[in-house]
Amino acid sequence: MDSPGVTDTEPLLLTRDGTVATLTINRPQRLNALTYAMFAQLPKLLEEAAAMPAIRALVLRGAGTRAFSAGADITEFETARMTREQAAAYDDAVLAAEEAIASFPAPTLAAVHGHCYGGGCALAVACDIRFAAAGARFAVTPAKLGLVYPLRGTKRLVDLVGPSRAKIILMSGADYSAARAQAFGLVDEVFTDPAALDAGVREFTALLAARSGVTQRAVKETVGRIMDGVTHDDDSHALLRESALDSPDYAEGVRAFLERRPPVFG
């Protein structure tokens, strides 16, 4: 699960290793800062990844180890994000990229080396899970630019860290270590160094591939609905449970248990 070759000139790289797709932000010379064009391209690449047969997880990462992403490339703001019309188009592209990650059908995991700032951190927050090397640094920085982030992305941060901590992060633009970010819920697992992080990502994605994709997709949908305010079983959730009951995964899981062997899910 090492970063794909950083000599490739494409700013976004989509690769596959068995059941795992990896989307790499590939501008290491700019700390993997994201341009408007890169945000706009992300949904298409994620569609391609979702269409790959037998993909069981998606890993989002930055090329090299200096940065996951330093965020949006501010150097283009004076030409690409100054008028209201430009800002609306730019923000729509960013939001579409975040939503494409959040709605990806398989589990998504951000593997964070180095700097994870601004819009880059927002992409990591849109993933289901965040793993980080101990040297990673996190910051969400609208207060350094006089920006207001879209509500949907802000809600994801609030869902992770709570309202008070989200206010601190967004109002201050403060920089946090991986350990500190883990303490308030922004990061799920911290690894000693980049090599250990890569090994942890490989191990966890292999575990995901050995489990039921039917269950994993249902978990994503169910947790998302809970975070959007649904509190009781309803017809939509009943349909989800009935579909799982009728799935090959359920039959295989029961059969494997009775035969005392590991299940083999499709």
Side-chain angles (χ1 to χ4, degrees):
M1 197 67 62
D2 295 334
S3 298
V6 295
T7 56
D8 195 305
T9 58
E10 291 296 320
L12 293 170
L13 301 175
L14 178 61
T15 56
R16 175 178 183 161
D17 182 9
T19 60
V20 179
T22 298
L23 185 55
T24 303
I25 305 166
N26 185 37
R27 291 183 77 207
Q29 73 282 5
R30 294 285 300 160
L31 293 179
N32 297 320
L34 292 140
T35 64
Y36 170 82
M38 293 166 69
F39 281 118
Q41 187 186 5
L42 266 167
K44 179 178 181 297
L45 290 176
L46 290 165
E47 284 184 14
E48 292 179 16
M52 293 176 176
I55 286 297
R56 297 298 310 280
L58 173 82
V59 176
L60 181 64
R61 67 183 312 134
T65 58
R66 293 180 62 207
F68 175 83
S69 172
D73 190 341
I74 309 302
T75 63
E76 69 174 5
F77 273 25
E78 284 190 328
T79 57
R81 200 188 180 282
M82 289 305 291
T83 68
R84 290 186 178 183
E85 293 76 16
Q86 287 176 330
Y90 194 104
D91 291 352
D92 284 347
V94 173
L95 185 59
E98 294 175 15
E99 293 295 327
I101 293 171
S103 63
F104 192 79
T108 54
L109 191 157
V112 181
H113 298 292
H115 302 296
C116 185
Y117 290 165
C121 192
L123 294 182
V125 167
C127 291
D128 296 313
I129 301 155
R130 284 148 297 282
F131 285 2
R137 306 292 303 185
F138 295 82
V140 190
T141 55
K144 291 185 176 181
L145 295 167
L147 290 174
V148 177
Y149 277 4
L151 188 144
R152 188 68 179 172
T154 303
K155 180 183 182 300
R156 289 196 188 96
L157 181 64
V158 173
D159 289 343
L160 282 178
V161 304
S164 294
R165 177 57 62 179
K167 289 175 185 177
I168 293 171
I169 291 170
L170 293 167
M171 290 176 176
S172 69
D175 180 291
Y176 299 97
S177 68
R180 187 95 167 107
Q182 184 184 31
F184 52 68
L186 185 60
V187 170
D188 297 296
E189 298 286 348
V190 176
F191 297 83
T192 55
D193 54 42
L197 169 61
D198 291 340
V201 170
R202 285 192 296 268
E203 180 180 353
F204 187 70
T205 53
L207 177 63
L208 290 175
R211 301 297 190 248
S212 168
V214 170
T215 297
Q216 290 163 357
R217 288 188 293 273
V219 167
K220 284 173 67 88
E221 181 175 341
T222 301
V223 172
R225 296 187 72 219
I226 290 169
M227 300 311 291
D228 285 340
V230 177
T231 59
H232 294 83
D233 286 287
D234 56 13
D235 290 344
S236 293
H237 195 64
L239 180 60
L240 196 64
R241 298 186 69 204
E242 290 165 4
S243 297
L245 188 66
D246 295 335
S247 72
D249 279 14
Y250 177 67
E252 167 61 11
V254 172
R255 189 180 308 114
F257 180 85
L258 295 175
E259 295 174 0
R260 299 187 178 184
R261 60 172 176 81
V264 180
F265 297 114

